[in-house]
């Protein structure tokens, strides 16, 4: 089983990058499951139904989210019916719309996709992701050994700790949120693929995708500033490919993907 994962899509630049490159990446690498984090997709904050459907049309099988899940109020109009949209599992179960995981059929096998949000420096008091996820992992393993986790978190330590905590129990723990792709991709000893942060998909010439002037001004003036997406920019697309033994759920290989003006995409 091959999984393609594309990190935090941001604004129209990110949307256009998905429309342009996702079909090409799918043709080249032939993944069985394609997952896209879309929590910044609509104007940098949240996602609406139009963008959600556009990602599915481009080839995504599952859309994961993060700390900006609720920033676009339009999500409340469709999340209840969006079977391929997954918000962080550790929001309060009884009161939060949507779901924290989904199951994808892959020929005769299945892949469970879980979205988690970290607690360290995230500004939200969610349930402990470590305590929340393990009962679900044990439950899902009764159906499939193939489990992918998008851990939307700030610190490398929290993401790395989660991967070691779940090593051998899940196929992959891949970090999102910081928008900077790390180079620590590896398969842990018991078979869990790990990458601290897959990076983001959006404006290459912004600062983490936001307008440079506003971000620099915040550092200079120390005054509240509204950050907007840097839309007049070429795109970066960040992702990874994970090869999994569908019978055991153990990862065999993880490869980073990066497309930007300094790392251009070439068709075969």
């Amino acid at each position: 089983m091959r999984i393609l994962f594309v990190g935090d899509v941001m604004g129209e630049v990110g949307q256009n990058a998905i429309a342009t490159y996702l079909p090409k990446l799918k043709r080249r690498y032939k993944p069985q499951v394609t997952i896209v984090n879309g929590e910044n997709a609509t104007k940098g904050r949240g996602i609406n139904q139009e963008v959600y459907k556009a990602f599915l049309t481009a080839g995504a099988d599952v859309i994961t989210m993060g700390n900006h899940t609720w920033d676009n109020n339009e999500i409340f109009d469709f999340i209840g019916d969006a079977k391929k949209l997954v918000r962080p599992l550790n929001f309060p179960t009884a009161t939060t719309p949507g779901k924290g995981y989904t199951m994808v059929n892959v020929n005769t096998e299945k892949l469970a996709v879980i979205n988690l949000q970290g607690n360290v420096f995230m500004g939200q008091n969610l349930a402990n992701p470590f305590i929340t996820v393990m009962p679900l992992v044990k439950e899902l393993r009764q159906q499939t050994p193939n489990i992918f986790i998008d851990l939307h978190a700030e610190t490398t330590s929290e993401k790395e700790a989660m991967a070691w905590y779940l090593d051998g129990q899940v196929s992959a723990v891949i970090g999102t949120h910081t928008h900077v792709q790390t180079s620590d991709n590896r398969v842990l000893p018991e078979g869990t693929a790990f990458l601290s942060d897959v990076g983001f998909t959006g404006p290459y010439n912004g600062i983490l995708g936001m307008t440079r002037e506003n971000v620099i001004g915040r550092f200079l003036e120390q005054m509240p500033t509204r950050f907007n997406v840097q839309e007049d920019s070429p795109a970066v697309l960040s992702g990874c490919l994970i090869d999994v033994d569908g019978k055991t759920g153990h990862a065999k290989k993880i490869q980073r993907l990066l497309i930007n003006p300094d790392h251009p995409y070439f068709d075969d």
Side-chain angles (χ1 to χ4, degrees), residues 61-236:
D61 298 301
V62 180
I63 312 298
T64 55
M65 298 294 287
N67 62 304
H68 290 297
T69 298
W70 315 113
D71 286 7
N72 189 309
N73 287 334
E74 294 178 63
I75 195 171
F76 294 102
D77 298 331
F78 72 96
I79 189 172
D81 298 318
K83 296 180 180 180
K84 297 182 178 182
L85 183 65
V86 185
R87 48 83 174 162
L89 175 73
N90 46 330
F91 277 103
T93 302
T95 57
T96 307
K99 55 188 179 180
Y101 77 96
T102 191
M103 194 77 75
V104 181
N105 292 319
V106 185
N107 298 321
T108 60
E109 297 163 349
K110 294 182 178 180
L111 174 71
V113 179
I114 302 173
N115 194 191
L116 284 174
Q117 184 171 313
N119 276 346
V120 182
F121 302 141
M122 292 297 287
Q124 291 173 297
N125 187 27
L126 300 187
N128 186 314
F130 292 82
I131 295 173
T132 301
V133 75
M134 186 57 86
L136 178 60
V137 167
K138 290 180 178 179
E139 177 185 331
L140 291 173
R141 285 181 62 83
Q142 301 302 310
Q143 304 177 58
T144 179
N146 306 304
I147 302 173
F148 175 96
I149 295 180
D150 171 357
L151 176 54
H152 201 78
E154 181 72 31
T155 65
T156 303
S157 59
E158 188 173 19
K159 291 185 259 194
E160 191 170 0
M162 182 66 76
W164 281 103
Y165 177 59
L166 295 175
D167 186 23
Q169 301 299 305
V170 303
S171 305
V173 175
I174 307 298
T176 54
H177 179 63
T178 69
H179 288 203
V180 177
Q181 188 180 86
T182 55
S183 60
D184 56 347
N185 51 299
R186 62 179 295 194
V187 177
L188 299 182
E190 300 300 320
T192 294
F194 171 67
L195 177 60
S196 288
D197 205 287
V198 71
F200 89 116
T201 298
Y204 187 48
N205 289 340
I207 297 176
L208 303 183
M210 294 298 185
T211 52
R212 301 187 300 276
E213 294 80 4
N214 288 359
V215 177
I216 294 170
R218 176 68 176 269
F219 283 113
L220 288 172
E221 300 164 6
Q222 299 294 312
M223 295 295 291
T225 304
R226 178 174 177 80
F227 295 151
N228 298 307
V229 178
Q230 182 88 45
E231 295 290 4
D232 57 335
S233 169
V236 55

